Amino acid sequence: MVSATKQGPEPAAQDGAPDTGAPAPAGSSASGHDGWAGLPPGPEHTDAVTARLRRLTFRSHLWQRRALIVSLRVARLVRTGFRRFLPALRFIGRSLHRRWRRSLQFRTVLTTLLLVVTSFAVVGAYLSNQIANNLFQERLAQAESETSYHVKQVQDTFDGAQVTDQASVITLVYDTLNAVEGRGSVIQRRYVFEAMPEQTKPRNRWVESRASDQLTVSVIPPELRKAVQESGKDQYWASTVIPVGTEDRPGIAVGNKVTFNGTVYELYLIYDLNSAQQTLDEIQSVLWAGGAVLVLLVGAVAWYVTRNVVSPVSHAAMVSEKLAAGQLQERMVVRGEDEVARLGASFNHMAASLQEQITQLATLSQMQQRFVSDVSHELRTPLTTVRMAAEVLYDARHDFDPINKRSAELLYNQVERFQSLLSDLLEISRFDAGVAVLDAEAEDILQVITHAIEGAAPVAAEYGSEIVLRAPQGAVIVEMDARRIDRIMRNLILNAVEHGEGKPVTVTVGASQTAVGIAVRDHGIGMAPAEAARVFDRFWRADPARARTTGGSGLGLSIAMEDTKLHNGWLQAWGKKGSGANFRLTLPLRQGEEIDKSPVQLEPEDIVMPGEPGNSNMLVLGSGAPAGTGPAQEERT
């Protein structure tokens, strides 16, 4: 029932304050509003209003500035806090990500916990929903049964009542409704008794509405009231919220119609479900606590199980790293007879077999290296004698007949070739013995490259090739062994001249903040992938059928590779059949620094691969190059 609020007339002037019509003094206030009312018109009034407006404007600007300052300070504090906590959050995120990638045990335990938490959340939500539905249905069935019973009692009481005066009617209705309120039952019942609006029959208005404490008809959902008003003798229910003290509790409102003295009333019995809600809350608390304990137990079990499985694997990985580092005596600790123990035994057997084979190979390699070194040294003395005799015969060849003259020339050339081969063998033996030492000094690498080009100029003139140098202006200072770099460049340039078929050879130099790159490009026969795979092997020739007067001893590129390794640099090769080859040398500007990128492009810019991607093969070989450009690494373009 909605009551209307009535508004009375404005109060009259107070007694003893007659209206004389005289104006109030300046600065006084007839209405109590800071002197705004009652001021006489005139200059003084205008000045006062202007002064007040100025004060108000000044205060407004002052408060605006204060609000702006406070906002800026809050924003600064938020930004400072965010800046301070952001690195910590990033560090935690990176640590977790690193742990996730590197630890199988951490990944397994965390995955298990996530799956368990997800499963428990789904099962817990389902159980909680089922329990809540069962409790609600049980309370609803009880409420409907009790409502039907009590509504019948109320209607029987109203039908048998013999009352005629208002006091008797009110007493009867109050006693009857209090009897069904059920303050002591398991489900607390409350009621709302409301006369139906717009009744056409005469109504007894002695009882308009009645409700339990703190309740009004507003707690009844409008849909329920509409259903009850439009129905006959049917019973309807709806969920609602009832105020009890200072809290709101869930409840069920069950509505029916009753008649009294020709007037139709709506009778709603409201049942408090707070006890059911408390029971559900306790069950959910038990589920959450049990779930948390279960998650911890599952996490502990997962950690223990994975630890038993991962620990031997971690131990095997550690032993493998030691074996790879050369500690061939390392073995795994084997306990028990299970699968992990058999794995450890097999691993130890494999390690022992590898140790035996590596020892045999190392002994054989040492014997071969000693043999090459000894033979090379022993050949130096007789070779010197043979060379001196060959030089004497070569200088006197003009006095010989044509056959002997040609024999003297062949002897001289082959002795020179033998001398070069012996020098290369001695250098290789130094690398194999590990006695090669880098004598690094800071020098201009452009001067070394120029010297190598000048040394190869006679050979290039003989083949009809032109050597073109493309280098930046100024000096490029590199910490290097100039003798070894000169030898690398001489080998690369002579190799390009010999296989360039008389076409120009381009030497390109580029430098960055950390490295210098030199590319030697020829446009000759090029290399197929199978040939380029062995370009740095010892005694290997691209065409075994070619005359032995060209191509050198087959050790030049191998020695160049070893010299590059001493400088911690890269030596890479690119080739394509019929389009020539390109060798790239990359060196760090300072010893001890790592190279991350070469300043010179490996694949020549003038190469256009025909057809669809993947139809042409490019083989990139190198020493110390990054992943994807190592030896026997094939790229598709």
Side-chain angles (χ1 to χ4, degrees), residues 42-344:
E44 296 180 356
H45 175 70
T46 304
D47 294 342
V49 172
T50 303
R52 290 190 180 92
L53 287 176
R54 289 178 179 176
R55 286 197 296 269
L56 290 176
T57 304
F58 174 76
R59 291 178 181 178
S60 176
H61 289 308
L62 181 61
W63 282 108
Q64 288 179 1
R65 292 185 61 183
R66 289 179 178 177
L68 180 60
I69 293 173
V70 171
S71 302
L72 291 176
R73 289 180 177 177
V74 172
R76 187 181 303 168
L77 289 175
V78 172
R79 184 169 61 252
T80 303
F82 182 76
R83 289 178 178 176
R84 289 182 178 179
F85 285 105
L86 185 59
L89 295 177
R90 289 179 177 175
F91 175 77
I92 294 174
R94 286 194 299 266
S95 300
L96 292 177
H97 182 65
R98 189 184 306 109
R99 187 73 173 173
W100 173 270
R101 289 187 293 105
R102 296 184 178 181
S103 176
L104 177 62
Q105 183 177 5
F106 177 78
R107 191 161 59 246
T108 303
V109 173
L110 185 59
T111 303
T112 304
L113 289 178
L114 291 177
L115 292 176
V116 169
V117 169
T118 303
S119 302
F120 178 76
V122 174
V123 174
Y126 175 77
L127 292 178
S128 178
N129 185 56
Q130 290 296 110
I131 294 173
N133 287 336
N134 292 336
L135 288 175
F136 182 80
Q137 293 298 330
E138 179 183 356
R139 298 298 189 266
L140 177 62
Q142 185 177 358
E144 290 180 334
S145 175
E146 291 186 5
T147 300
S148 299
Y149 173 76
H150 289 292
V151 167
K152 185 176 182 302
Q153 281 189 337
V154 170
Q155 188 62 58
D156 292 342
T157 302
F158 286 168
D159 292 341
Q162 300 293 329
V163 291
T164 56
D165 59 292
Q166 181 180 7
S168 300
V169 170
I170 293 175
T171 301
L172 176 65
V173 172
Y174 182 76
D175 293 341
T176 303
L177 294 179
N178 284 342
V180 301
E181 192 171 10
R183 297 181 180 273
S185 60
V186 176
I187 303 180
Q188 294 292 329
R189 282 190 304 273
R190 292 171 177 79
Y191 65 86
V192 172
F193 188 71
E194 183 77 15
M196 287 187 59
E198 300 178 0
Q199 299 188 44
T200 57
K201 295 182 179 181
R203 299 173 56 196
N204 184 350
R205 295 187 178 274
W206 291 343
V207 180
E208 188 69 25
S209 64
R210 187 73 66 179
S212 297
D213 297 338
Q214 297 184 348
L215 294 186
T216 62
V217 73
S218 60
V219 302
I220 308 301
E223 296 80 5
L224 178 60
R225 291 201 62 189
K226 183 178 180 181
V228 171
Q229 292 172 3
E230 295 177 354
S231 67
K233 295 296 183 178
D234 297 331
Q235 180 173 274
Y236 296 91
W237 68 272
S239 298
T240 185
V241 177
I242 56 177
V244 178
T246 58
E247 61 176 341
D248 293 335
R249 295 181 180 180
I252 299 176
V254 184
N256 288 271
K257 285 182 180 179
V258 295
T259 57
F260 183 43
N261 289 340
T263 302
V264 181
Y265 293 90
E266 304 169 30
L267 177 58
Y268 300 96
L269 295 185
I270 303 172
Y271 296 83
D272 190 354
L273 300 183
N274 188 54
S275 59
Q277 183 64 42
Q278 292 178 352
T279 302
L280 181 61
D281 293 341
E282 293 176 358
I283 293 175
Q284 289 179 347
S285 300
V286 172
L287 287 176
W288 281 110
V293 174
L294 180 62
V295 168
L296 294 177
L297 291 177
V298 171
V301 172
W303 176 84
Y304 178 76
V305 173
T306 54
R307 180 176 178 272
N308 291 336
V309 176
V310 173
S311 294
V313 178
S314 301
H315 182 57
M318 182 181 63
V319 173
S320 300
E321 292 176 355
K322 291 183 178 180
L323 290 174
Q327 303 177 18
L328 302 179
Q329 73 281 358
E330 288 293 328
R331 297 293 184 270
M332 288 185 61
V333 179
V334 179
R335 296 188 181 92
E337 300 179 356
D338 54 5
E339 293 82 359
V340 177
R342 292 198 297 271
L343 174 62

Side-chain angles (χ1 to χ4, degrees), residues 359-372 432:
T359 303
Q360 293 178 357
L361 292 175
T363 303
L364 180 59
S365 177
Q366 290 177 0
M367 292 176 60
Q368 291 177 345
Q369 293 173 9
R370 188 179 300 111
F371 172 78
V372 172
D432 292 338

Side-chain angles (χ1 to χ4, degrees), residues 28-50:
S28 63
S29 175
S31 58
H33 293 290
D34 298 332
W36 281 89
L39 289 176
E44 296 180 356
H45 175 70
T46 304
D47 294 342
V49 172
T50 303

